[in-house]
């Protein structure tokens, strides 16, 4: 390494991908300013670009739903700081059988307890949200309007920028 680590470095994060920059971001958001991120090449030069970036709140457990909700708060914070956040596209979960419709309604009910916004839709109400869909055979659907997608590379750069602004050093 051509540079020595700063003597004030208490935390050294290895890797300048989404995980390393997220660690630096969260530590600096909690007041740590003695964080150093070490990257052998450039930010996101590893496997970060593989991330799909889908942000869907409906998950099988309460814990997983809370993780996604916390992630949405991070995206909103990043957006307010850098203009980079996530694109709110919404998702629609479809049911073609009565059993699947019951399952989707239960998921929506469980999600509502955790303040996840959802809307039960009839087949005809789904079409305006997705005009290419043929609703024949559908029983219903559930719209989650706050779901969306993010770009892992953009998110990494936004987290790195925020961490750097809060005192982290990226080498």
């Amino acid at each position: 390494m051509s540079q020595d680590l700063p003597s004030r470095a208490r935390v050294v994060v290895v890797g300048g991908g989404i995980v390393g920059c997220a660690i630096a971001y969260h530590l600096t958001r909690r007041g740590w300013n003695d964080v150093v991120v070490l990257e052998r090449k450039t930010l996101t030069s590893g496997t970060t670009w593989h991330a799909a970036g889908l942000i869907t709140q409906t998950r099988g457990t309460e814990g997983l739903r809370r993780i996604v909700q916390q992630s949405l708060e991070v995206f909103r914070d990043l957006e307010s700081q850098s203009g980079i956040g996530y694109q709110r596209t919404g998702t629609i979960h479809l049911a073609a059988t009565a059993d699947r419709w019951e399952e989707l309604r239960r998921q929506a009910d469980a999600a509502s307890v955790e303040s996840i916004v959802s809307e039960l839709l009839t087949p005809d109400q789904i079409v305006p949200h997705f005009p290419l869909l043929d609703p024949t055979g559908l029983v219903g659907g559930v719209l989650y309007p706050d779901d969306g997608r993010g770009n892992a590379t953009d998110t990494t750069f936004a987290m790195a920028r925020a961490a750097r602004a809060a005192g982290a050093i990226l080498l």
Side-chain angles (χ1 to χ4, degrees), residues 7-95:
S7 60
R8 69 178 183 85
R10 182 166 46 150
V11 176
V12 177
V13 178
V14 177
I18 189 74
V19 174
C21 289
I23 291 169
Y25 167 82
H26 287 288
L27 288 173
T28 57
R29 297 295 291 167
R30 286 165 178 75
W32 295 48
N33 62 1
D34 48 2
V35 176
V36 175
V37 176
L38 297 177
E39 172 53 51
R40 66 183 170 93
K41 291 184 180 179
T42 59
L43 294 182
T44 75
S45 63
T47 58
T48 289
W49 66 274
H50 288 281
L54 300 176
I55 305 157
T56 57
Q57 299 174 84
T58 342
R59 303 296 174 150
T61 67
E62 177 185 351
L64 290 174
R65 288 188 294 270
R66 284 187 183 170
I67 288 170
V68 175
Q69 287 181 306
Q70 289 171 352
S71 296
L72 286 172
E73 288 177 30
V74 169
F75 279 110
R76 288 182 195 108
D77 183 52
L78 284 172
E79 193 164 27
S80 72
Q81 291 181 45
S82 67
I84 297 171
Y86 79 106
Q87 184 178 13
R88 189 173 165 251
T89 60
T91 59
I92 301 173
H93 299 218
L94 303 174

Side-chain angles (χ1 to χ4, degrees), residues 96-115:
T97 67
D99 287 345
R100 174 69 173 152
W101 182 230
E102 178 66 25
E103 177 186 357
L104 291 180
R105 290 195 327 246
R106 287 182 186 185
Q107 285 176 355
D109 189 48
S112 71
V113 172
E114 295 162 41
S115 301

Side-chain angles (χ1 to χ4, degrees), residues 139-152:
V139 178
V142 181
L143 170 67
Y144 294 93
D146 294 329
D147 287 356
R149 62 186 170 91
N151 178 299

